[in-house]
Amino acid sequence: MSKQIPLAPGLFTWPSDEPALLGGRCGSCGYVAFPFREHCLACGLPEMAEVELPRRGRLWTFTTQQFRPPAPPYAGADTVESFVPYGVGYIELPQACKVESRLTVSDPAQLSIGQEMELAIVPFGVTSDGQPTVTFAFRPV
Ligand SMILES: [Zn+2]
């Protein structure tokens, strides 16, 4: 089996039995951002330090992606014909920030605002040289 590689570097710890998203916490004002960035969005200072974000949070809002997004930037292995709708939402991570994420379920009947969600690393596509890629998502707990 080929090694699964993250869709982009620096988004989450990988490989890991308990992967975590990698954000930044401002050393000056405490603001937390995802993904990591050098300068704080709140105070503008270059004081951000990389931190692992909580693996669990609450679903803040959600919707369903009903059609294949334009590619690029979308890089899924599916086609217009094989595309399967997926859930997208914001997860509010305690003492951190809100994270926009794919959800592991797309049926609105299985989702409700405020429910507990947990980080999951899921298959995504393949690189141009055939390596399988993974991305992050959140699943209901
Ligand atoms: Zn700051």
Side-chain angles (χ1 to χ4, degrees), residues 35-59:
F36 176 81
R37 57 184 62 240
E38 295 290 329
H39 288 78
C40 178
L41 286 174
C43 73
L45 293 175
E47 304 289 332
M48 301 297 277
E50 189 176 83
V51 292
E52 292 187 10
L53 299 179
R55 303 187 68 251
R56 285 190 176 194
R58 300 219 171 258
L59 188 58

Side-chain angles (χ1 to χ4, degrees), residues 51-83:
V51 292
E52 292 187 10
L53 299 179
R55 303 187 68 251
R56 285 190 176 194
R58 300 219 171 258
L59 188 58
W60 188 70
T61 195
F62 65 94
T63 189
T64 302
Q65 178 69 36
Q66 294 284 354
F67 57 89
R68 189 178 193 271
Y74 183 72
D78 50 15
T79 65
V80 169
E81 293 74 27
S82 68
F83 176 78

